[in-house]
Amino acid sequence: MENGKNISEFKSDKQNVIENTELNIWEALIPVMILMGFLAYNIFLVEGQEWLGTYTNQIILLIGGLVAAVVGFFNKVSIHRILTEVWENLKSVFIPIVILLLVGALAGTWLISGVIPAMVYYGLQVLSPTIFLPTCVIICSIISIATGSSWTTSATVGIALVGIGTALGVNNGMIAGAVISGAYFGDKMSPLSDTTNLAPAIAGTDLFTHIRYMTITTVPSILITLVAFGILSAMGESAGNVDITNLLTSIKASFNITPWLFVVPLAVIALILIKTKPLVALATGVLLAVNFSFIFQSDVLTNLGETKINSVFTSILTETQIATDNEKLNELFSSGGMNGMLWTIYLIICAMVFGGIMDGIGALARITKALLSIASSIFGLFASTVLSCFGLNVIASDQYLAIVIPGKMFKQAFDDKGLAPENLSRTLEDSGTVTSVLIPWNGCGAYQSSVLGVGVGEYFMYAIFNWLSPITTLFFAAFQIKIKQLPSSKAFS
């Protein structure tokens, strides 16, 4: 039992919400301000260096949680209450963590089976100088969906496309904008993407429900992007010949490329469409890829390890690197397996600890009430979420934190409005994932600028999909188009 009568509890959709009448808004914000202060120090004073080690962001979240616990102690919250909420939060992300591990296994097995290389191989061959920019978007979308990574897409195919486009006389900012638009579309929609797994885990929905619901705003955004790049291509002048022979030759030399390899991703897509449980769909993708690796990539397995079985387990559990004679392909043809997902998993766990403590002391309820007093309408709630995600991309310089913190802070507000959790997870991706690359000092913006050799200022206006996505989600919210409600909610508040 809690000390005193100032703490109450009620349940909403199986989530405990703690209210503490002794906690004022400024006390509730202390852990958040400490959190933001450490992040600002990390960005501006030590220039983003990992001053607390590899897991700097995770440690900062734990520090924020410790500060929140101290605030709770001075406001008559028991340790038992705090630990109970932390445990409830950790239990809620068990399945998403298992899914993330399967995603890592899927990425590794799709590499050694030749599925990802086949997508790269056939994708490169659809290049056409007359529609170069929209083709860039399509190719990068395909590769990013297959790999679940916008970064590796840009660092491999993206670099090649910039080189080809430069030879054709296409503006570098346009090329980079097309590459980034396609790469982040794929990153958003791929079940292999860590952010696509992170957003539903934080919001409280499942992976494939989240992906299906994202199509409502993401498909219009990518279609408008393709039309815009089609117009830009038609207005431009192209000259020169496209030569991708070396890339294709290198892929063919390293893998047995055949259209039969597309059976694996098509099978997973089919399972997704018939609403199979994510664990089953992803596990099926892993098992099919393992079988296909023995059938089509026997030489690859032999070259990777002492035995073929050992090569398969290595691809599932740890890092796999398949070397080719082309440096541009070497980074793409690598995978971290399950081990590569641990950073994101640790981030989720630390976020759940921070959020659980904030829940336990009543801080989230207090902050949510303050936010709702400012953004009391449905549109206001969506707009506040979008601005929070973008603001954290600017201040925290980390797209993961731009998803985690607003997701945890706004979850109860969406519940209170009778909105299904996929509304929140979609908004987090529409504004947190894609806008990170538009900030020069954000890790994503700095990375893309460096890899593609094009400044953020040069590609900003041409990264159409990235800045259009939050606008699209706000448009749908303003006119209440496809805003899904919870089953128990009969009308908007």
Side-chain angles (χ1 to χ4, degrees):
M1 178 176 286
E2 301 296 343
N3 298 324
K5 299 181 179 180
N6 299 298
I7 301 174
S8 60
E9 175 185 345
F10 63 91
K11 289 190 174 184
S12 174
D13 193 26
K14 300 180 181 180
Q15 180 183 1
N16 294 337
V17 178
I18 309 300
E19 290 190 345
N20 187 349
T21 57
E22 289 197 359
L23 189 72
N24 62 50
I25 183 60
W26 298 111
E27 289 174 322
L29 286 172
I30 287 175
V32 177
M33 291 187 288
I34 294 293
L35 186 72
M36 299 306 295
F38 272 111
L39 292 172
Y41 174 79
N42 188 47
I43 296 164
F44 299 113
L45 298 183
V46 298
E47 298 180 348
Q49 298 176 13
E50 296 174 340
W51 55 288
L52 293 176
T54 302
Y55 302 105
T56 296
N57 288 334
Q58 287 87 338
I59 293 173
I60 290 175
L61 280 166
L62 292 179
I63 292 173
L66 179 61
V67 172
V70 173
V71 171
F73 174 78
F74 283 104
N75 282 275
K76 301 180 181 180
V77 181
S78 70
I79 296 296
H80 178 266
R81 166 55 60 195
I82 292 174
L83 292 178
T84 297
E85 292 306 308
V86 169
W87 175 241
E88 290 298 320
N89 272 18
L90 291 175
K91 286 196 300 183
S92 71
V93 295
F94 175 76
I95 295 300
I97 286 174
V98 175
I99 289 175
L100 277 173
L101 291 173
L102 277 175
V103 166
L106 200 70
T109 54
W110 281 24
L111 173 60
I112 64 169
S113 65
V115 171
I116 291 174
M119 289 186 171
V120 175
Y121 182 83
Y122 291 111
L124 286 173
Q125 293 183 71
V126 303
L127 280 171
S128 173
T130 56
I131 52 170
F132 180 75
L133 292 173
T135 302
C136 284
V137 176
I138 293 170
I139 290 175
C140 290
S141 296
I142 293 171
I143 303 303
S144 191
I145 287 175
T147 62
S149 173
S150 57
W151 283 30
T152 54
T153 300
S154 298
T156 52
V157 178
I159 292 174
L161 290 172
V162 169
I164 295 168
T166 300
L168 294 172
V170 182
N171 178 280
N172 279 350
M174 293 182 183
I175 304 169
V179 168
I180 289 169
S181 291
Y184 274 81
F185 166 77
D187 193 302
K188 274 186 65 180
M189 300 305 294
S190 174
L192 302 178
S193 169
D194 47 7
T195 56
T196 306
N197 281 270
L198 180 61
I202 294 297
T205 186
D206 68 87
L207 173 62
F208 294 134
T209 296
H210 168 62
I211 292 175
R212 286 193 297 269
Y213 201 64
M214 275 202 300
T215 60
I216 296 171
T217 55
T218 303
V219 170
S221 295
I222 198 64
L223 290 177
I224 294 172
T225 299
L226 286 169
V227 170
F229 279 119
I231 295 171
L232 289 173
S233 283
M235 293 173 60
E237 295 182 359
S238 295
N241 297 314
V242 178
D243 184 9
I244 57 172
T245 304
N246 290 336
L247 288 172
L248 299 179
T249 301
S250 295
I251 296 172
K252 286 284 285 186
S254 302
F255 296 92
N256 177 20
I257 301 299
T258 168
W260 284 107
L261 293 168
F262 285 89
V263 170
V264 178
L266 289 175
V268 175
I269 292 171
L271 289 172
I272 294 172
L273 292 176
I274 63 175
K275 300 183 179 180
T276 304
K277 291 183 178 180
L279 292 178
V280 175
L282 295 175
T284 301
V286 172
L287 292 175
L288 280 175
V290 168
N291 283 295
F292 273 52
S293 67
F294 284 106
I295 296 171
F296 295 105
Q297 312 300 338
S298 179
D299 291 343
V300 172
L301 295 180
T302 300
N303 294 332
L304 282 175
E306 296 178 358
T307 65
K308 294 178 181 179
I309 292 293
N310 182 66
S311 297
V312 168
F313 277 106
T314 298
S315 71
I316 292 173
L317 298 173
T318 61
E319 184 176 358
T320 300
Q321 174 72 58
I322 299 178
T324 71
D325 57 6
N326 192 306
E327 292 184 3
K328 294 178 180 178
L329 295 173
N330 287 338
E331 185 174 349
L332 180 62
F333 295 158
S334 64
S335 168
M338 289 185 176
N339 185 65
M341 290 294 170
L342 292 181
W343 192 94
T344 302
I345 289 172
Y346 294 152
L347 182 69
I348 292 175
I349 291 173
C350 293
M352 291 300 102
V353 171
F354 173 74
I357 297 174
M358 290 287 284
D359 276 339
I361 69 172
L364 290 185
R366 179 65 66 188
I367 293 172
T368 299
K369 283 189 174 182
L371 290 171
L372 287 175
S373 67
I374 300 172
S376 56
S377 66
I378 295 295
F379 175 76
L381 183 57
F382 277 86
S384 296
T385 307
V386 169
L387 290 174
S388 296
C389 291
F390 182 76
L392 277 165
N393 266 325
V394 173
I395 299 170
S397 193
D398 188 298
Q399 68 171 348
Y400 296 102
L401 292 179
I403 293 173
V404 169
I405 296 175
K408 195 61 191 175
M409 294 297 185
F410 283 89
K411 185 180 187 303
Q412 190 58 45
F414 275 76
D415 287 347
D416 290 343
K417 288 292 183 182
L419 300 172
E422 47 264 40
N423 288 288
L424 175 57
S425 65
R426 183 180 72 185
T427 306
L428 293 175
E429 286 249 71
D430 282 345
S431 51
T433 299
V434 299
T435 63
S436 59
V437 75
L438 302 177
I439 313 301
W441 55 87
N442 186 286
C444 294
Y447 174 85
Q448 298 289 353
S449 178
S450 175
V451 166
L452 299 176
V454 182
V456 175
E458 295 178 72
Y459 70 65
F460 185 98
M461 66 179 295
Y462 298 113
I464 299 170
F465 176 78
N466 299 72
W467 54 255
L468 182 61
S469 290
I471 295 174
T472 303
T473 205
L474 289 177
F475 176 83
F476 275 68
F479 293 95
Q480 296 189 10
I481 303 171
K482 297 291 184 179
I483 304 300
K484 187 177 179 181
Q485 295 175 263
L486 292 168
S488 59
S489 179
K490 298 181 179 180
F492 286 122
S493 300

